[in-house]
Amino acid sequence: MTKLLLGPVLSFRGVSESGTWKVSALMGIKDSEAYPEVFVDGKRAPAPAVLLRHKGVIYLRYNLSCDQCEAERRVEYSVLGIAQKWSFTVPGKDFAPRMAYVSCNGFSDPNGVRKLIKSENEVWGDLLCSHDKAVRPSGYKLDKEQLWHEQRTHAKGLQRFHLLLMGGDQIYFDSIWEDLKPLKEWIGLPREKQLRYRVSKRLDQKIEDYYISLYSARWLPKERNAWGSNKTSNDCANGMARIPTVMMWDDHDIFDGWGSYSPEMQQSELFSRLFFHARRAFWIFQMQHAADSLPDLEHQSSLEVRNDDPLFRPIKWSQVLKEDDLALPLLDDQPGFTFVHRAGSVALAVADLRTERSQEQVLGPETWRSFQNWLSSINANNREHSGTDCQHLLFMSSVPVVHPKLSLAEAFLDSFGSEHVLDSSADDLKDHWTHNDHEGERKRLVDTLMRAAKTQGMRVTIVSGDVHVAAWGVVSRNDVPPGENWAQVQQLTSTAIVHPSLVSVMERLFFHVLNNVAKGEQELDVNLTARMMLFPGANRYVMAARNWLALELDLGDGASDSKLWATWRCETKASFTNHLLAIDGKSPAPSS
């Protein structure tokens, strides 16, 4: 009998020019076993690609791609030797995919599970029951929001979501500081010794093993034997097996606060080796690329610039991955992993905010140039690719662009200069786009997105996680007449799906401060204002509850009637509450 040590984990790879919905599936098996046969849409899948061999385990990537038809359809796949079967739903040709967004899939503190009001996987269970009728337990009762989707999807034998956007912290590696004895000892060293610390080959191997093995430990069901039977558990493993994912990392996928420590600490040998192995594991397990295809990062040492901010040589990803038919569409001429998708009338920009991050930089100059070049021709490329214009751009930013600004807390924590890897208070604030050190780049981002909205004739919405609350914000131009929607960018924040929200006494006090600060506007520039909005269906600005977000574009009778429907599902002691928002999709004619 086939035994999967990891997976299947589905990944969305884009839409081909011929209308193929490209999906891959990651699976791990013992290296001594024959590759499992996989069947998709009634046909045997091609032989898998080998992503990595490590410690007696081989990680394989299967091609589950299938044709898009005029109408959406459900596609079944199975692994020979395993009783359980899975399926995913493919949208109709040129139709916008329905998406769910999640983030923070774990615990920064192992004691965090004690703060939960329900079980660890309760929010995943709600998402999956909303997505797939087949996984609902007996006696499950629908609420009114879920009932709305029964006739549209489930009554037709379909699933609700075509894509699962995972915006960061898909896995938490903070435990490495406790689980590896040398790292636990390193924490107690004086700062001068920490900076001079040398990583032995033995420790380097332990770090590599840890980053690879934790994916299998955290991304499998609690009951391992569930894969060999018809029993399922509604957790992240079940979700990633039923909805093709779009993943981007954040700090916990490396370790807490990566990029927000001092330049000296970031460039230390220990931090460099931790990042090296985290980057490689992310490439394999979340981006589903072969380990030996990942280029090393090279510093642009020939340039006479200060070394406070990482400045890497750009990578020609189209050349690096030219032999891979299932390669993610990474933007060329950037050192990081920013990539973009186009599906029907929706475009998705997935920004890598960690590879080049420092205390004063979020994205490097080459990445900015590459992203702005892509935005300037998004609709020209879209028409050539599919014959349709992009009506709505979703920008995935792991950290919110519009969020309450805690200036006093920034100043207080900055004055201590703390760099403790097990105390995330200071680095969490330094991570925020709203931090004083990132305000310039935040203005650049907002200006870049608004300019693209105006010239390309589309709406732009930002989706983010990280902050362990649900929230809605808006950034807008004050010198533009009402109705010019390009000059208004919405921010939708959804987090966390597993990590507890603000529940302890001190966290609740912080929540009240956060909610109070949210009442004030932020003047980004003379004509640019950011403000938090009252959360839909609530009398507060932030919701301290675990949650997930549904994103569904309704085109109506044409582009001028389109709306992006955003629905947060927030956990309560009794059940879940629904918070619905409609973003008008009307866009002006493209202007030069």
Side-chain angles (χ1 to χ4, degrees):
M1 181 183 236
T2 301
K3 182 179 180 181
L4 296 181
L5 304 178
L6 175 66
V9 176
L10 302 183
S11 175
F12 177 59
R13 318 304 285 185
V15 184
S16 74
E17 293 184 10
S18 61
T20 300
W21 188 255
K22 297 196 290 185
V23 175
S24 63
L26 169 70
M27 302 182 199
I29 60 170
K30 288 184 179 179
D31 201 359
S32 57
E33 294 182 356
Y35 297 172
E37 287 189 77
V38 174
F39 293 84
V40 56
D41 210 12
K43 303 173 185 175
R44 182 183 283 107
V50 176
L51 303 187
L52 177 71
R53 297 177 190 270
H54 183 79
K55 297 284 186 179
V57 180
I58 186 168
Y59 299 97
L60 306 169
R61 187 191 69 189
Y62 285 85
N63 188 346
L64 305 188
S65 302
C66 48
D67 293 334
Q68 284 185 290
C69 300
E70 292 303 316
E72 62 180 318
R73 65 192 182 102
R74 189 164 178 154
V75 174
E76 186 177 272
Y77 72 99
S78 60
V79 180
L80 192 65
I82 293 181
Q84 186 175 349
K85 292 179 172 58
W86 301 272
S87 59
F88 57 93
T89 295
V90 178
K93 205 175 282 186
D94 297 332
F95 278 78
R98 297 185 296 270
M99 293 167 275
Y101 178 91
V102 303
S103 68
C104 300
N105 180 45
F107 301 100
S108 55
D109 176 358
N111 294 318
V113 68
R114 299 176 185 174
K115 298 180 180 180
L116 300 178
I117 62 174
K118 292 182 180 176
S119 69
E120 175 181 337
N121 293 312
E122 193 75 19
V123 188
W124 272 113
D126 182 71
L127 191 159
L128 281 160
C129 288
S130 298
H131 168 67
D132 193 340
K133 188 176 182 179
V135 305
R136 295 172 184 166
S138 59
Y140 183 82
K141 296 186 184 301
L142 300 169
D143 63 26
K144 290 182 179 179
E145 167 61 23
Q146 292 171 314
L147 187 61
W148 171 257
H149 298 280
E150 288 299 291
Q151 294 301 316
R152 304 175 76 201
T153 55
H154 301 116
K156 299 176 182 178
L158 303 169
Q159 297 155 306
R160 181 174 173 185
F161 300 112
H162 304 112
L163 296 177
L164 177 61
L165 312 183
M166 303 186 76
D169 301 339
Q170 279 68 255
I171 187 168
Y172 280 66
F173 280 108
D174 309 332
S175 52
I176 194 170
W177 298 103
E178 290 286 342
D179 292 345
L180 294 191
K181 186 178 178 181
L183 299 193
K184 190 171 184 178
E185 293 172 347
W186 176 92
I187 291 172
L189 295 176
R191 187 173 187 273
E192 293 74 18
K193 289 189 176 182
Q194 289 180 336
L195 294 174
R196 296 196 304 267
Y197 189 86
R198 293 291 171 256
V199 179
S200 67
K201 287 186 177 180
R202 187 165 181 266
L203 176 56
D204 195 66
Q205 184 63 60
K206 284 185 175 182
I207 292 171
E208 179 186 34
D209 295 344
Y210 196 89
Y211 273 104
I212 291 171
S213 63
L214 201 67
Y215 275 98
S216 295
R218 297 283 167 84
W219 282 10
L220 272 179
K222 291 288 185 184
E223 297 179 6
R224 301 295 179 91
N225 60 0
W227 290 116
S229 69
N230 283 317
K231 295 179 181 179
T232 60
S233 53
N234 285 341
D235 55 13
C236 74
N238 200 5
M240 293 187 294
R242 293 175 182 272
I243 319 174
T245 63
V246 176
M247 299 188 192
M248 180 49 69
W249 64 354
D250 202 27
D251 59 335
H252 293 282
D253 300 280
I254 307 165
F255 61 82
D256 187 21
W258 171 263
S260 293
Y261 296 93
S262 69
E264 297 81 13
M265 190 64 77
Q266 290 283 151
Q267 295 162 19
S268 68
E269 183 174 322
L270 177 60
F271 272 41
S272 296
R273 295 312 296 169
L274 288 166
F275 180 70
F276 175 89
H277 291 298
R279 178 175 178 260
R280 185 166 174 263
F282 170 74
W283 177 253
I284 297 162
F285 294 98
Q286 297 196 40
M287 305 204 88
Q288 296 193 12
H289 286 123
D292 58 10
S293 67
L294 177 62
D296 288 335
L297 288 171
E298 298 180 14
H299 288 273
Q300 296 203 44
S301 55
S302 61
L303 297 177
E304 293 184 1
V305 295
R306 65 175 192 166
N307 64 354
D308 288 4
D309 303 321
L311 193 62
F312 301 115
R313 295 187 184 279
I315 298 171
K316 199 78 172 178
W317 289 109
S318 59
Q319 290 298 313
V320 170
L321 300 170
K322 64 180 179 180
E323 303 299 327
D324 188 349
D325 293 336
L326 288 177
L328 284 175
L330 276 72
L331 292 180
D332 267 336
D333 301 319
Q334 52 139 352
F337 298 129
T338 296
F339 65 95
V340 295
H341 282 306
R342 290 187 298 272
S345 51
V346 168
L348 187 63
V350 187
D352 175 3
L353 307 185
R354 287 295 157 183
T355 295
E356 302 170 281
R357 178 179 283 272
S358 71
Q359 288 185 342
E360 297 183 4
Q361 173 180 281
V362 181
L363 297 171
E366 301 294 343
T367 303
W368 275 111
R369 191 172 297 114
S370 181
F371 178 56
Q372 289 168 338
N373 287 341
W374 175 78
L375 281 175
S376 67
S377 58
I378 182 173
N379 263 333
N381 291 337
N382 214 47
R383 291 185 202 108
E384 183 180 345
H385 181 72
S386 64
T388 60
D389 279 351
C390 172
Q391 299 297 331
H392 216 115
L393 168 67
L394 293 178
F395 180 79
M396 278 177 63
S397 168
S398 54
V399 181
V401 177
V402 182
H403 194 66
K405 183 175 176 63
L406 301 171
S407 301
L408 288 176
E410 286 177 19
F412 177 76
L413 290 169
D414 282 350
S415 66
F416 284 91
S418 174
E419 289 199 293
H420 201 292
V421 294
L422 298 182
D423 180 7
S424 63
S425 302
D427 60 66
D428 279 353
L429 286 178
K430 289 178 185 293
D431 275 354
H432 288 184
W433 281 103
T434 55
H435 192 279
N436 286 342
D437 290 338
H438 298 315
E439 278 287 12
E441 263 193 283
R442 180 161 76 137
K443 293 174 189 175
R444 178 186 295 169
L445 175 61
V446 171
D447 179 72
T448 296
L449 295 176
M450 285 184 174
R451 190 174 345 116
K454 183 178 182 181
T455 60
Q456 302 298 308
M458 62 185 181
R459 286 305 303 267
V460 177
T461 298
I462 302 168
V463 289
S464 303
D466 180 69
V467 289
H468 304 157
V469 295
W472 170 34
V474 178
V475 58
S476 55
R477 289 279 297 269
N478 304 326
D479 58 340
V480 174
E484 296 283 348
N485 287 335
W486 64 267
Q488 186 185 84
V489 174
Q490 312 272 345
Q491 163 77 67
L492 313 178
T493 303
S494 174
T495 169
I497 192 162
V498 170
H499 196 285
S501 189
L502 309 177
V503 293
S504 69
V505 174
M506 290 304 295
E507 287 171 340
R508 296 304 291 183
L509 288 172
F510 172 74
F511 164 71
H512 287 296
V513 172
L514 194 68
N515 195 64
N516 193 56
V517 172
K519 297 175 183 178
E521 292 187 346
Q522 300 169 32
E523 300 294 336
L524 274 65
D525 214 328
V526 65
N527 288 314
L528 199 60
T529 302
R531 66 188 187 278
M532 302 302 296
M533 309 297 290
L534 280 173
F535 193 66
N539 62 351
R540 65 201 69 167
Y541 292 89
V542 292
M543 283 287 287
R546 295 196 298 175
N547 61 90
W548 62 274
L549 175 67
L551 297 163
E552 294 153 310
L553 186 65
D554 184 355
L555 291 179
D557 296 326
S560 62
D561 301 310
S562 67
K563 288 186 185 297
L564 178 69
W565 295 94
T567 309
W568 286 267
R569 295 271 296 178
C570 295
E571 180 187 40
T572 68
K573 289 182 179 180
S575 182
F576 283 81
T577 56
N578 298 289
H579 305 268
L580 182 64
L581 175 68
I583 300 175
D584 186 5
K586 184 184 291 185
S587 53
S591 59
S592 56

